[in-house]
Amino acid sequence: MRMVRQKTQIRKIESLAARQVTFSKRRKGLFKKAQELSTLCDVDIALIVFSATGKLFHYCPSSMSEVLERHGRLQSQNVGEVQQLSHEMEIVRRRAVMLSQELEEKSCELRQMKGEDIQGLDLKELSKLEDIIASGLAAVVKTKGERMLNEISTLKKKEAQLLEEKAYLKQQLARMDTCVGQRGIQDQCSQHCSLELTISDMSSEDPAHNYNVSSLYTCLKLG
């Protein structure tokens, strides 16, 4: 039958003799593992162990003092970085608190300018609020007046432009009417000439009707 190794429960060994034996074995195994790690990975390792009786055991493949000095420098550097980060975080926190308070004050002022939350104000604070509102109202009225003047100026320019376009269109219409009238006169003259030629031809062909034709010719001419 295959034997199954039971897992040892990790707890304090009550027997002093057994505890010392276990400490000796485990300490040697720990130092052996540290030596293997240092050799395989080319790292600096420093182990310091104090027994229950206060006896010191240590292992370091290089100089123990140099390793401890490096550890102290890095720890001081890390502590300095942590302190710097904590200081910056404290500055950010204070800034956030100050901005939050400022936002709350501005929100309260805005509500008071709307006429809200003014029951707790005294006469001096109400007078100050009135001055602020009056100053803001004057600025609003001034800006509104400037905008209205700009709009009026723009509308006047558009009106002048439209009047110029209207006058130009009137001139064009007058010219078109003149051209149409001249063409009508020319058409009437051409029709009158053709009638004279026709009547003249008729009188020359029929001498018996010269008097009537002459009268007709006169009437047409007068007409």
Side-chain angles (χ1 to χ4, degrees), residues 100-195:
S100 178
Q101 293 177 354
E102 185 176 357
L103 178 61
E104 181 63 26
E105 291 176 358
K106 296 300 180 182
S107 299
C108 182
E109 291 179 1
L110 182 60
R111 291 194 300 270
Q112 291 174 355
M113 291 178 68
K114 292 180 179 180
E116 302 174 0
D117 299 338
I118 59 175
Q119 289 78 12
L121 300 179
D122 56 12
L123 183 59
K124 184 178 180 180
E125 292 174 343
L126 289 173
S127 299
K128 182 179 179 181
L129 179 61
E130 183 181 6
D131 294 338
I132 293 174
I133 294 175
S135 177
L137 181 60
V140 171
V141 171
K142 181 181 178 181
T143 305
K144 182 180 178 182
E146 292 176 354
R147 297 288 175 83
M148 291 178 66
L149 290 176
N150 292 333
E151 290 291 334
I152 291 172
S153 178
T154 303
L155 291 175
K156 285 184 177 180
K157 291 180 180 179
K158 290 183 178 180
E159 182 183 6
Q161 184 178 359
L162 291 174
L163 289 175
E164 291 179 358
E165 293 178 358
K166 182 179 179 181
Y168 176 74
L169 292 174
K170 280 186 176 181
Q171 292 178 359
Q172 295 294 324
L173 288 173
R175 291 178 182 177
M176 291 175 64
D177 291 339
T178 303
C179 293
V180 171
Q182 290 177 355
R183 289 179 181 176
I185 293 172
Q186 290 176 359
D187 293 339
Q188 290 178 3
C189 290
S190 61
Q191 291 176 2
H192 178 67
C193 293
S194 63
L195 286 172

Side-chain angles (χ1 to χ4, degrees), residues 43-48 58-75:
V43 296
D44 293 331
I45 296 178
L47 291 178
I48 299 176
H58 63 84
Y59 169 78
C60 182
S62 59
S63 174
M64 175 66 73
S65 59
E66 292 180 358
V67 174
L68 294 178
E69 185 178 357
R70 284 177 59 189
H71 176 266
R73 287 198 304 268
L74 292 176
Q75 188 175 10

Side-chain angles (χ1 to χ4, degrees), residues 18 34 72 98:
M98 184 175 64

